[in-house]
Amino acid sequence: MALPATTESCWRQGEISGQRVKRTFQVKVKWNSALSGTSDFMAEKNLTLVTEFLLIAFTDYPQQAFPLFLLFLFIYLITLLGNLGMIILIHVDRRLHTPMYFLLSHLSFMDICYSSVTMPQMLAMLLELGAVLSYTRCAAQFFLFTFFGSIDCYLLALMAYDRYVAVCQPLLYVTIMTQKARLGFVAGAYIAGFFSALVRTVSAFTLTFCGTNEIDFIFCDLPPLLKLTCRDSYTQELVIIVFAIFVIPACMVVILVSYLFIIVAIMKIPSAGGRAKTFSTCTSHLTTVSLFFGTLIFMYLRDNSGQSSEEDRVVSVFYTAVIPMLNPLIYSLRNKEVKEALRKILKRAKLS
C-alpha cells in the first residue's frame, strides 16, 4: 500500500534527522576521545578552531571613533615627518656624522617601521569599527612588530654603550667606535632582532586558538593571543619568555651598567659646570629609554591575570604610537647639535 505524499515526506525528514543525530553523536565521540588526555579547561572551552581574528578595540565607543581617527592620524603623520626629517638632517649635516647620530638615524628608521606596522590598521579599524585579520596576516604583523621592536631595544642599548665610551674613555672613542664597528653593531642588532622575532612568532602560532576570535586590542600582540589558546601552552610560553629575556632584560642590563660607569665618571669631574655639560649629552637618550622600556616592562614583564583590556590598550597606544612620535622631538629639543643643524637647514631654505 502506497503511503500518502505528506506521510512519505515526514518519514524521509525523520530519517534524515536521525542520520544527522547519529553523525553529531559520532563527532562528539571523536572529540571526547581526542580530549581524553587534556585538561578540564580544554574540555569546557568552545573547540571551534580560529582561522581569522577580529580586532574590536575601541568598538565600545562608536561615537568617539572619528575623533580618535583624526587624533591618531595626526600622531602618525607627525611620527613619519619627524623621524624622516631626523634621518635627512643627519645625512645632510656633516657635524652629525658621528657614531651616536648614526645609531639615532637607524632608531628613527625603526620608529617609522615600528609604527607603520600598527597605525594604518588602527586607523582603518576606527573608520570601520573593527578589523578582520586572516591567520597569516596576524602572524606576519606579530613577526614584524616583534622584529622592529627588538631592534629598537638593541639600538637603545648600543646608544648607551656609545655614551659610555664617549664619557668614560674619550681618548679611545674614535678608535673603538669606528665605521666598521658601527656597521657591525647595527648588523648584529638586525640579525638578533630577526631571529628573536622568528622564534617568538613560530612559538606563538604553533598554539591552537579556539573559541572566540575577538581580540580586544589594536593589533595581534602576544598577551591577547595567549587568551585565545585552548591547549596547554607551557612549552611555547617558556620559549617565548626565554627569548624575551635576551631582548628587554638583556638590553636593560647593558643600559644600566653603562650608565652606572657614566655616573661614576661624572662624579669624578671637579666642576659642577663640567658635570652638568657631560650629563647633558645623555639626557635625550635617558628620556627615550625611560619611556620605551617603562611601557614595555609594564606590558610584557608583569602578571597579565586580572588586568583590564582597556588598561592594556592605553599602554599599547603609548608605546606603538606616542613614543615613536616623541623620539625625534626629544632629540631635537634637548640636543644643541641637532637644533643648530636644524637652524642651518632652515636658514638655507629661507635664503633660497
Side-chain angles (χ1 to χ4, degrees):
M1 179 179 178
L3 293 172
T6 305
T7 306
E8 185 176 1
S9 175
C10 292
W11 180 81
R12 287 179 179 175
Q13 290 179 1
E15 185 179 12
I16 293 171
S17 299
Q19 291 175 353
R20 287 177 179 171
V21 170
K22 185 178 180 180
R23 289 174 185 172
T24 303
F25 176 75
Q26 290 174 346
V27 169
K28 287 183 177 180
V29 169
K30 290 181 180 179
W31 272 116
N32 289 333
S33 61
L35 289 169
S36 60
T38 60
S39 63
D40 293 337
F41 172 75
M42 280 184 59
E44 293 174 359
K45 224 176 175 185
N46 184 356
L47 291 173
T48 304
L49 296 180
V50 172
T51 57
E52 62 183 18
F53 300 93
L54 178 62
L55 302 179
I56 60 170
F58 304 115
T59 55
D60 294 337
Y61 311 100
Q63 68 279 4
Q64 298 177 8
F66 190 68
L68 286 174
F69 170 82
L70 295 177
L71 174 62
F72 290 135
L73 178 62
F74 174 77
I75 291 174
Y76 184 53
L77 291 177
I78 294 297
T79 300
L80 295 180
L81 292 174
N83 285 287
L84 186 61
M86 182 65 72
I87 294 171
I88 295 173
L89 190 66
I90 293 171
H91 179 73
V92 170
D93 197 298
R94 290 185 177 181
R95 291 175 299 178
L96 302 181
H97 291 180
T98 62
M100 182 179 74
Y101 292 108
F102 174 77
L103 295 173
L104 179 58
S105 65
H106 281 273
L107 183 68
S108 296
F109 177 65
M110 282 300 105
D111 282 341
I112 291 173
C113 299
Y114 184 71
S115 59
S116 296
V117 172
T118 57
M119 289 296 288
Q121 177 185 276
M122 185 164 64
L123 293 172
M125 180 173 60
L126 287 169
L127 285 180
E128 300 173 5
L129 296 179
V132 178
L133 294 183
S134 66
Y135 191 89
T136 304
R137 186 179 171 187
C138 183
Q141 185 183 57
F142 179 80
F143 171 80
L144 290 174
F145 181 80
T146 307
F147 175 55
F148 296 132
S150 299
I151 296 174
D152 249 9
C153 293
Y154 292 130
L155 288 175
L156 288 171
L158 289 173
M159 292 172 76
Y161 175 73
D162 171 81
R163 292 298 83 207
Y164 156 74
V165 177
V167 174
C168 300
Q169 302 182 41
L171 299 178
L172 300 176
Y173 183 72
V174 178
T175 58
I176 294 175
M177 299 300 293
T178 62
Q179 184 176 5
K180 185 177 180 180
R182 284 178 285 174
L183 292 173
F185 286 147
V186 172
Y190 278 70
I191 293 170
F194 174 81
F195 282 106
S196 176
L198 181 64
V199 171
R200 295 188 73 202
T201 303
V202 171
S203 299
F205 284 86
T206 52
L207 296 170
T208 302
F209 303 104
C210 61
T212 180
N213 65 340
E214 294 181 350
I215 299 178
D216 192 6
F217 212 63
I218 63 174
F219 66 101
C220 286
D221 200 10
L222 187 60
L225 284 173
L226 290 177
K227 294 178 182 178
L228 304 182
T229 57
C230 55
R231 292 185 181 178
D232 184 13
S233 59
Y234 175 77
T235 304
Q236 287 90 337
E237 288 185 39
L238 183 62
V239 173
I240 291 169
I241 291 170
V242 168
F243 272 83
I245 290 173
F246 287 100
V247 182
I248 300 176
C251 291
M252 287 183 61
V253 168
V254 173
I255 293 169
L256 291 174
V257 171
S258 298
Y259 274 102
L260 180 63
F261 282 105
I262 289 171
I263 292 171
V264 171
I266 289 175
M267 295 303 295
K268 292 179 180 179
I269 299 174
S271 64
R275 289 195 295 269
K277 184 178 179 180
T278 304
F279 187 74
S280 65
T281 62
C282 306
T283 53
S284 298
H285 179 257
L286 270 176
T287 305
T288 303
V289 165
S290 301
L291 290 172
F292 187 73
F293 281 97
T295 52
L296 288 185
I297 290 169
F298 183 82
M299 191 68 194
Y300 297 108
L301 300 183
R302 67 187 173 112
D303 183 12
N304 287 315
S305 60
Q307 301 296 333
S308 66
S309 298
E310 187 172 356
E311 187 181 61
D312 289 343
R313 284 199 303 269
V314 172
V315 177
S316 65
V317 167
F318 191 75
Y319 71 80
T320 58
V322 178
I323 290 179
M325 178 191 69
L326 291 178
N327 283 346
L329 298 176
I330 292 170
Y331 277 94
S332 60
L333 295 176
R334 301 182 64 88
N335 194 298
K336 291 182 180 180
E337 293 175 336
V338 174
K339 285 191 287 186
E340 289 176 3
L342 186 59
R343 288 194 196 101
K344 187 177 178 180
I345 294 294
L346 294 175
K347 189 177 180 180
R348 285 181 183 176
K350 288 181 180 179
L351 292 174
S352 61

Short mmCIF file of all heavy atoms in Angstrom, two decimals, residues 38-82:
data_model
loop_
_atom_site.label_atom_id
_atom_site.label_comp_id
_atom_site.label_asym_id
_atom_site.label_seq_id
_atom_site.Cartn_x
_atom_site.Cartn_y
_atom_site.Cartn_z
N THR A 38 43.46 15.63 27.94
CA THR A 38 43.63 17.06 28.14
C THR A 38 42.98 17.50 29.43
O THR A 38 42.31 16.74 30.11
CB THR A 38 43.04 17.85 26.96
OG1 THR A 38 41.66 17.55 26.88
CG2 THR A 38 43.73 17.48 25.66
N SER A 39 43.17 18.77 29.73
CA SER A 39 42.66 19.32 31.00
C SER A 39 41.18 19.61 30.89
O SER A 39 40.60 19.67 29.81
CB SER A 39 43.42 20.61 31.33
OG SER A 39 43.18 21.57 30.34
N ASP A 40 40.56 19.83 32.07
CA ASP A 40 39.14 20.19 32.11
C ASP A 40 38.90 21.53 31.44
O ASP A 40 37.83 21.77 30.88
CB ASP A 40 38.67 20.26 33.57
CG ASP A 40 38.70 18.90 34.22
OD1 ASP A 40 38.65 17.90 33.48
OD2 ASP A 40 38.79 18.84 35.46
N PHE A 41 39.91 22.41 31.49
CA PHE A 41 39.76 23.73 30.86
C PHE A 41 39.52 23.59 29.37
O PHE A 41 38.67 24.24 28.79
CB PHE A 41 41.03 24.54 31.10
CG PHE A 41 41.07 25.83 30.34
CD1 PHE A 41 40.31 26.91 30.74
CD2 PHE A 41 41.87 25.96 29.21
CE1 PHE A 41 40.34 28.09 30.05
CE2 PHE A 41 41.90 27.14 28.51
CZ PHE A 41 41.15 28.21 28.93
N MET A 42 40.25 22.68 28.71
CA MET A 42 40.07 22.45 27.28
C MET A 42 38.70 21.86 27.01
O MET A 42 38.04 22.21 26.04
CB MET A 42 41.15 21.51 26.74
CG MET A 42 42.47 22.17 26.46
SD MET A 42 43.59 20.99 25.75
CE MET A 42 42.68 20.50 24.30
N ALA A 43 38.29 20.94 27.83
CA ALA A 43 37.02 20.26 27.59
C ALA A 43 35.85 21.21 27.69
O ALA A 43 34.85 21.05 27.01
CB ALA A 43 36.87 19.11 28.59
N GLU A 44 35.96 22.20 28.60
CA GLU A 44 34.86 23.12 28.81
C GLU A 44 34.82 24.22 27.75
O GLU A 44 33.83 24.90 27.60
CB GLU A 44 34.97 23.75 30.20
CG GLU A 44 34.76 22.75 31.32
CD GLU A 44 35.02 23.38 32.68
OE1 GLU A 44 35.39 24.56 32.71
OE2 GLU A 44 34.85 22.67 33.68
N LYS A 45 35.95 24.44 27.03
CA LYS A 45 36.03 25.56 26.11
C LYS A 45 35.40 25.21 24.77
O LYS A 45 35.36 24.05 24.36
CB LYS A 45 37.48 25.96 25.89
CG LYS A 45 37.67 27.45 25.94
CD LYS A 45 39.12 27.80 25.81
CE LYS A 45 39.26 29.31 25.75
NZ LYS A 45 40.61 29.72 25.52
N ASN A 46 34.88 26.21 24.08
CA ASN A 46 34.35 26.03 22.74
C ASN A 46 35.50 25.66 21.80
O ASN A 46 36.46 26.39 21.67
CB ASN A 46 33.71 27.35 22.30
CG ASN A 46 33.04 27.21 20.95
OD1 ASN A 46 33.10 26.16 20.32
ND2 ASN A 46 32.40 28.28 20.51
N LEU A 47 35.40 24.52 21.13
CA LEU A 47 36.52 23.99 20.36
C LEU A 47 36.43 24.34 18.87
O LEU A 47 36.99 23.65 18.05
CB LEU A 47 36.58 22.48 20.55
CG LEU A 47 37.01 22.05 21.93
CD1 LEU A 47 36.89 20.55 22.07
CD2 LEU A 47 38.42 22.50 22.24
N THR A 48 35.72 25.40 18.53
CA THR A 48 35.72 25.88 17.16
C THR A 48 37.06 26.52 16.87
O THR A 48 37.44 27.51 17.48
CB THR A 48 34.60 26.91 16.96
OG1 THR A 48 33.35 26.32 17.33
CG2 THR A 48 34.56 27.36 15.51
N LEU A 49 37.83 25.96 15.93
CA LEU A 49 39.16 26.46 15.64
C LEU A 49 39.09 27.82 14.98
O LEU A 49 38.24 28.08 14.14
CB LEU A 49 39.91 25.48 14.75
CG LEU A 49 40.19 24.10 15.35
CD1 LEU A 49 40.95 23.23 14.36
CD2 LEU A 49 40.99 24.24 16.65
N VAL A 50 40.00 28.69 15.36
CA VAL A 50 40.03 30.06 14.86
C VAL A 50 40.90 30.12 13.60
O VAL A 50 42.06 29.69 13.62
CB VAL A 50 40.58 31.03 15.93
CG1 VAL A 50 40.78 32.42 15.36
CG2 VAL A 50 39.64 31.08 17.12
N THR A 51 40.36 30.63 12.51
CA THR A 51 41.12 30.80 11.26
C THR A 51 41.32 32.26 10.91
O THR A 51 42.08 32.57 9.99
CB THR A 51 40.40 30.10 10.09
OG1 THR A 51 39.07 30.64 9.98
CG2 THR A 51 40.32 28.60 10.33
N GLU A 52 40.64 33.14 11.59
CA GLU A 52 40.83 34.57 11.42
C GLU A 52 40.52 35.28 12.72
O GLU A 52 39.87 34.71 13.61
CB GLU A 52 39.95 35.13 10.28
CG GLU A 52 38.47 34.97 10.52
CD GLU A 52 37.64 35.47 9.36
OE1 GLU A 52 38.19 35.63 8.24
OE2 GLU A 52 36.44 35.71 9.56
N PHE A 53 41.02 36.50 12.85
CA PHE A 53 40.88 37.24 14.10
C PHE A 53 40.14 38.55 13.84
O PHE A 53 40.33 39.18 12.80
CB PHE A 53 42.26 37.54 14.70
CG PHE A 53 43.06 36.31 15.01
CD1 PHE A 53 43.95 35.79 14.09
CD2 PHE A 53 42.91 35.66 16.24
CE1 PHE A 53 44.70 34.65 14.37
CE2 PHE A 53 43.65 34.53 16.53
CZ PHE A 53 44.53 34.02 15.59
N LEU A 54 39.32 38.92 14.80
CA LEU A 54 38.54 40.16 14.71
C LEU A 54 39.03 41.13 15.79
O LEU A 54 38.91 40.86 16.98
CB LEU A 54 37.05 39.86 14.90
CG LEU A 54 36.11 41.08 14.89
CD1 LEU A 54 36.17 41.78 13.54
CD2 LEU A 54 34.70 40.65 15.22
N LEU A 55 39.62 42.23 15.36
CA LEU A 55 40.08 43.26 16.29
C LEU A 55 38.91 44.17 16.63
O LEU A 55 38.29 44.76 15.74
CB LEU A 55 41.22 44.07 15.67
CG LEU A 55 42.46 43.29 15.23
CD1 LEU A 55 43.49 44.23 14.62
CD2 LEU A 55 43.07 42.54 16.40
N ILE A 56 38.60 44.29 17.91
CA ILE A 56 37.41 45.04 18.33
C ILE A 56 37.75 46.17 19.28
O ILE A 56 36.88 46.70 19.96
CB ILE A 56 36.39 44.10 18.99
CG1 ILE A 56 36.99 43.43 20.23
CG2 ILE A 56 35.87 43.07 18.00
CD1 ILE A 56 35.97 42.68 21.08
N ALA A 57 39.03 46.57 19.34
CA ALA A 57 39.41 47.68 20.22
C ALA A 57 38.69 48.96 19.79
O ALA A 57 38.54 49.23 18.60
CB ALA A 57 40.92 47.89 20.19
N PHE A 58 38.22 49.71 20.76
CA PHE A 58 37.52 51.00 20.58
C PHE A 58 36.13 50.86 19.99
O PHE A 58 35.47 51.87 19.75
CB PHE A 58 38.35 51.95 19.69
CG PHE A 58 39.74 52.20 20.18
CD1 PHE A 58 40.83 51.77 19.45
CD2 PHE A 58 39.95 52.85 21.38
CE1 PHE A 58 42.12 51.99 19.89
CE2 PHE A 58 41.25 53.09 21.83
CZ PHE A 58 42.32 52.66 21.09
N THR A 59 35.66 49.63 19.73
CA THR A 59 34.31 49.48 19.17
C THR A 59 33.23 49.73 20.22
O THR A 59 32.06 49.89 19.85
CB THR A 59 34.12 48.06 18.59
OG1 THR A 59 34.43 47.09 19.60
CG2 THR A 59 35.03 47.85 17.39
N ASP A 60 33.60 49.77 21.49
CA ASP A 60 32.62 50.07 22.53
C ASP A 60 32.22 51.53 22.55
O ASP A 60 31.24 51.90 23.19
CB ASP A 60 33.19 49.69 23.91
CG ASP A 60 33.41 48.20 24.05
OD1 ASP A 60 32.75 47.45 23.32
OD2 ASP A 60 34.24 47.79 24.89
N TYR A 61 32.99 52.37 21.86
CA TYR A 61 32.72 53.81 21.85
C TYR A 61 32.62 54.30 20.41
O TYR A 61 33.51 55.02 19.92
CB TYR A 61 33.83 54.57 22.59
CG TYR A 61 34.17 53.99 23.94
CD1 TYR A 61 35.29 53.16 24.10
CD2 TYR A 61 33.37 54.24 25.04
CE1 TYR A 61 35.60 52.61 25.34
CE2 TYR A 61 33.67 53.70 26.28
CZ TYR A 61 34.79 52.88 26.42
OH TYR A 61 35.09 52.34 27.64
N PRO A 62 31.58 53.91 19.67
CA PRO A 62 31.47 54.29 18.25
C PRO A 62 31.39 55.79 18.05
O PRO A 62 31.85 56.30 17.02
CB PRO A 62 30.19 53.59 17.80
CG PRO A 62 29.42 53.33 19.05
CD PRO A 62 30.43 53.11 20.12
N GLN A 63 30.82 56.53 19.01
CA GLN A 63 30.71 57.97 18.86
C GLN A 63 32.07 58.67 18.95
O GLN A 63 32.22 59.81 18.50
CB GLN A 63 29.75 58.55 19.92
CG GLN A 63 30.25 58.47 21.35
CD GLN A 63 30.05 57.11 22.00
OE1 GLN A 63 29.58 56.17 21.34
NE2 GLN A 63 30.36 57.01 23.28
N GLN A 64 33.07 57.98 19.51
CA GLN A 64 34.41 58.57 19.62
C GLN A 64 35.35 58.09 18.53
O GLN A 64 36.52 58.47 18.51
CB GLN A 64 35.01 58.22 20.99
CG GLN A 64 34.21 58.76 22.17
CD GLN A 64 34.80 58.34 23.50
OE1 GLN A 64 35.89 57.76 23.56
NE2 GLN A 64 34.07 58.61 24.58
N ALA A 65 34.86 57.27 17.62
CA ALA A 65 35.73 56.66 16.61
C ALA A 65 36.35 57.71 15.69
O ALA A 65 37.57 57.69 15.44
CB ALA A 65 34.94 55.63 15.80
N PHE A 66 35.55 58.62 15.17
CA PHE A 66 36.10 59.60 14.22
C PHE A 66 37.05 60.59 14.90
O PHE A 66 38.12 60.88 14.32
CB PHE A 66 34.96 60.34 13.52
CG PHE A 66 35.44 61.19 12.37
CD1 PHE A 66 35.96 60.60 11.22
CD2 PHE A 66 35.39 62.57 12.45
CE1 PHE A 66 36.42 61.38 10.17
CE2 PHE A 66 35.84 63.35 11.40
CZ PHE A 66 36.36 62.75 10.25
N PRO A 67 36.73 61.14 16.08
CA PRO A 67 37.72 61.99 16.75
C PRO A 67 39.03 61.26 17.04
O PRO A 67 40.12 61.84 16.88
CB PRO A 67 37.02 62.39 18.05
CG PRO A 67 35.57 62.31 17.74
CD PRO A 67 35.44 61.16 16.81
N LEU A 68 38.95 59.98 17.44
CA LEU A 68 40.17 59.20 17.66
C LEU A 68 40.92 58.97 16.36
O LEU A 68 42.16 58.98 16.34
CB LEU A 68 39.81 57.85 18.31
CG LEU A 68 39.42 57.89 19.79
CD1 LEU A 68 38.96 56.52 20.24
CD2 LEU A 68 40.58 58.37 20.66
N PHE A 69 40.18 58.76 15.27
CA PHE A 69 40.81 58.59 13.96
C PHE A 69 41.63 59.83 13.60
O PHE A 69 42.79 59.72 13.16
CB PHE A 69 39.74 58.34 12.90
CG PHE A 69 40.26 58.39 11.50
CD1 PHE A 69 40.90 57.30 10.92
CD2 PHE A 69 40.12 59.56 10.73
CE1 PHE A 69 41.39 57.36 9.62
CE2 PHE A 69 40.60 59.62 9.43
CZ PHE A 69 41.25 58.52 8.88
N LEU A 70 41.06 61.01 13.79
CA LEU A 70 41.78 62.25 13.48
C LEU A 70 43.00 62.42 14.37
O LEU A 70 44.07 62.85 13.92
CB LEU A 70 40.84 63.45 13.63
CG LEU A 70 39.66 63.51 12.64
CD1 LEU A 70 38.78 64.71 12.96
CD2 LEU A 70 40.15 63.58 11.21
N LEU A 71 42.85 62.09 15.66
CA LEU A 71 43.97 62.20 16.60
C LEU A 71 45.12 61.28 16.22
O LEU A 71 46.28 61.72 16.14
CB LEU A 71 43.48 61.88 18.02
CG LEU A 71 44.56 61.82 19.12
CD1 LEU A 71 45.24 63.17 19.27
CD2 LEU A 71 43.97 61.34 20.43
N PHE A 72 44.81 60.00 15.95
CA PHE A 72 45.87 59.04 15.62
C PHE A 72 46.45 59.30 14.23
O PHE A 72 47.63 59.02 14.00
CB PHE A 72 45.33 57.62 15.72
CG PHE A 72 45.05 57.18 17.12
CD1 PHE A 72 43.88 56.51 17.45
CD2 PHE A 72 45.95 57.45 18.14
CE1 PHE A 72 43.62 56.12 18.75
CE2 PHE A 72 45.70 57.05 19.44
CZ PHE A 72 44.53 56.39 19.75
N LEU A 73 45.65 59.84 13.32
CA LEU A 73 46.18 60.23 12.01
C LEU A 73 47.20 61.35 12.17
O LEU A 73 48.27 61.33 11.54
CB LEU A 73 45.05 60.66 11.08
CG LEU A 73 45.47 61.13 9.68
CD1 LEU A 73 46.16 60.00 8.92
CD2 LEU A 73 44.25 61.65 8.91
N PHE A 74 46.89 62.32 13.02
CA PHE A 74 47.83 63.42 13.29
C PHE A 74 49.11 62.88 13.92
O PHE A 74 50.22 63.27 13.52
CB PHE A 74 47.15 64.44 14.23
CG PHE A 74 48.06 65.53 14.70
CD1 PHE A 74 48.40 66.58 13.86
CD2 PHE A 74 48.58 65.50 15.99
CE1 PHE A 74 49.25 67.59 14.29
CE2 PHE A 74 49.43 66.51 16.43
CZ PHE A 74 49.77 67.55 15.57
N ILE A 75 48.98 61.97 14.89
CA ILE A 75 50.15 61.39 15.55
C ILE A 75 51.01 60.63 14.54
O ILE A 75 52.24 60.75 14.54
CB ILE A 75 49.72 60.46 16.70
CG1 ILE A 75 49.12 61.28 17.85
CG2 ILE A 75 50.89 59.63 17.21
CD1 ILE A 75 48.53 60.44 18.97
N TYR A 76 50.36 59.86 13.66
CA TYR A 76 51.11 59.06 12.68
C TYR A 76 51.85 59.95 11.69
O TYR A 76 53.02 59.68 11.35
CB TYR A 76 50.14 58.13 11.95
CG TYR A 76 50.81 57.20 10.98
CD1 TYR A 76 51.88 56.39 11.37
CD2 TYR A 76 50.37 57.11 9.66
CE1 TYR A 76 52.49 55.53 10.47
CE2 TYR A 76 50.97 56.24 8.76
CZ TYR A 76 52.04 55.46 9.17
OH TYR A 76 52.64 54.61 8.28
N LEU A 77 51.20 61.03 11.24
CA LEU A 77 51.85 61.94 10.30
C LEU A 77 53.04 62.65 10.95
O LEU A 77 54.10 62.81 10.33
CB LEU A 77 50.83 62.97 9.79
CG LEU A 77 49.73 62.43 8.87
CD1 LEU A 77 48.75 63.53 8.50
CD2 LEU A 77 50.34 61.80 7.61
N ILE A 78 52.88 63.06 12.20
CA ILE A 78 53.99 63.69 12.93
C ILE A 78 55.13 62.70 13.11
O ILE A 78 56.32 63.05 13.01
CB ILE A 78 53.51 64.21 14.31
CG1 ILE A 78 52.52 65.36 14.12
CG2 ILE A 78 54.69 64.69 15.15
CD1 ILE A 78 53.08 66.58 13.43
N THR A 79 54.79 61.44 13.38
CA THR A 79 55.82 60.39 13.52
C THR A 79 56.62 60.23 12.23
O THR A 79 57.85 60.19 12.25
CB THR A 79 55.16 59.05 13.89
OG1 THR A 79 54.46 59.20 15.13
CG2 THR A 79 56.20 57.95 14.03
N LEU A 80 55.91 60.15 11.10
CA LEU A 80 56.59 59.98 9.81
C LEU A 80 57.45 61.20 9.48
O LEU A 80 58.62 61.06 9.11
CB LEU A 80 55.56 59.75 8.71
CG LEU A 80 54.74 58.46 8.78
CD1 LEU A 80 53.76 58.40 7.60
CD2 LEU A 80 55.64 57.24 8.77
N LEU A 81 56.89 62.38 9.62
CA LEU A 81 57.62 63.60 9.27
C LEU A 81 58.79 63.83 10.21
O LEU A 81 59.89 64.20 9.76
CB LEU A 81 56.66 64.81 9.31
CG LEU A 81 55.56 64.84 8.24
CD1 LEU A 81 54.61 66.00 8.48
CD2 LEU A 81 56.18 64.95 6.85
N GLY A 82 58.58 63.62 11.52
CA GLY A 82 59.65 63.86 12.49
C GLY A 82 60.82 62.92 12.32
O GLY A 82 61.99 63.35 12.27
#
